[in-house]
Amino acid sequence: MATRRAAVVAAGVGSSVPVYAADTDGGVLVDVDGNSLIDLGSGIAVTSVGASDPGVLRAVADQAAHFTHTCFMVTPYEGYVRVAEELADLTPGGHEKRSALFNSGAEAVENAVKVARLATGRPAVVAFDHAYHGRTNLTMALTAKAMPYKAHFGPFAPEIHRMPMSYPFRDDPGLTGDEAARRAITRIEKQIGADSVAAIILEPIQGEGGFIVPAPGFVPALAEWARANGVVFIADEVQTGFARTGTWFASEHEGVVPDIVAMAKGIAGGLPLSAITGRAELLDAVHPGGLGGTFGGNPVACAAAVAAIATMRRLDLPARARHIEDVVMPRLRALAERMPAVGDVRGRGAMLAIEFVVAGGREPDPDLTRTVAARAFEQGVIALTCGTYGNVVRLLPPLVIGDELLTEGIDVLESVLGELTGVRGVPR
Ligand SMILES: *Cc1c(COP(=O)(O)O)cnc(C)c1O
């Protein structure tokens, strides 16, 4: 397969692990050779309800039997409206909302920025250190990390301004969320000018950048400043959304009500769908025809989203994500206490991470991180890495994973770490 692949698939498309999937449900992935792997990645936070949720499968088959596509801009259909109703209900805030549907997270982010610029008549967009917003031209400009996302792919879209993030493990000890927000706000006011800023875009918990949970108060302070200055506050909840962090959206942890929420990954049980939901006056400012796309809000993907959301509600997956945190986090904390190579453990719900450092300090250890993921894979566990410095192992299990599998996955990770660092895990 590797030879066939190399002969026809572009080298620039990478894969985390060299196995070809044959079957996967809600925690176990079976490869084409019949090997079983414990999935702690969910295809990057997508298959929260599992990769073959019966409700999603039924909805997809039903819808496909009627029609697979008409294009909502040509002949609309109910599924699109139904998804927008769900999003109005689920996203933070009781205000009047409007939604538009697209295909990918990057496309949702692009459209959030389009809406903010048109609605405000301003050009500048503020993004943060360690941010990840996608791989299209505008979203590459918003993304912070050069390799592998941006290097040699420029020139990039203009009027993107990068500000310092709150990164408790790497900030000066004791820097509060409010102080970190103030640091960014001062820069925004001095270097751009508040009345040139269309939008602030922020992941409430950063994903690819290293599962960075900002200090408490950071996100609310920025949202408040945005409101006071007529700046659109866009929460990029592409990775954090749909129950992943223990609430429907991560903004809720600090009571933040974004003006626009960008969503994708977990929305539709694995089918490609993305969305923006925001204040009616912002989205309705755009002229008819200004937003859309041929495939955006595909009817099969919409049917899948409605079914996936029904499963999330029925199984109370936000509670399930909190349970996963309760099972996994104490074990990660115990590792951090014992192992000098574990600099920090953090995250919320089923979005948890271990940051590796050269023993005891803060110097990132990407080699150890890569080895941990590779060894875990050899022992049957899919665990992904991330981080600006490539030194974070991130855990994103499907939210429907059983406790036994989850525990088995963490056992493997712990024993791999023990072997590699020479420090034994906590006896259980
Ligand atoms: C994955 C991701 C994106 C990009 O989504 P795609 O569907 O890959 O385009 C944007 N923002 C965040 C926070 C993400 O995690």
Side-chain angles (χ1 to χ4, degrees), residues 162-176:
R162 192 167 309 286
M163 295 297 150
M165 180 63 188
S166 163
Y167 189 163
F169 179 62
R170 294 190 175 277
D171 278 333
D172 291 338
L175 186 78
T176 67

Side-chain angles (χ1 to χ4, degrees), residues 44-46 103-109 131-136 139 143 201-208 236-240 262-265 273-274 351 394:
I44 320 187
V46 169
N103 305 287
S104 68
E107 216 185 334
V109 168
Y132 182 85
H133 298 292
R135 296 169 178 271
T136 58
T139 59
T143 290
I201 182 161
L202 177 64
E203 302 154 83
I205 298 175
Q206 289 183 319
E208 311 298 302
D236 181 346
E237 295 243 20
V238 167
Q239 190 156 164
T240 49
M263 296 158 273
K265 293 195 165 91
L273 184 72
S274 70
M351 185 169 179
R394 55 171 154 175

Side-chain angles (χ1 to χ4, degrees), residues 121-188:
R122 302 172 178 181
V125 177
V126 168
F128 287 84
D129 287 337
H130 314 291
Y132 182 85
H133 298 292
R135 296 169 178 271
T136 58
N137 188 266
L138 176 60
T139 59
M140 273 193 292
L142 292 166
T143 290
K145 192 175 176 179
M147 269 312 269
Y149 305 122
K150 304 173 70 165
H152 316 298
F153 291 134
F156 302 112
E159 282 297 340
I160 308 295
H161 303 265
R162 192 167 309 286
M163 295 297 150
M165 180 63 188
S166 163
Y167 189 163
F169 179 62
R170 294 190 175 277
D171 278 333
D172 291 338
L175 186 78
T176 67
D178 220 47
E179 288 161 354
R182 218 16 72 192
R183 174 174 71 181
I185 288 165
T186 305
R187 285 255 281 263
I188 295 169

Side-chain angles (χ1 to χ4, degrees), residues 187-205:
R187 285 255 281 263
I188 295 169
E189 288 175 340
K190 297 301 167 206
Q191 297 183 8
I192 316 169
D195 60 4
S196 293
V197 181
I200 290 179
I201 182 161
L202 177 64
E203 302 154 83
I205 298 175

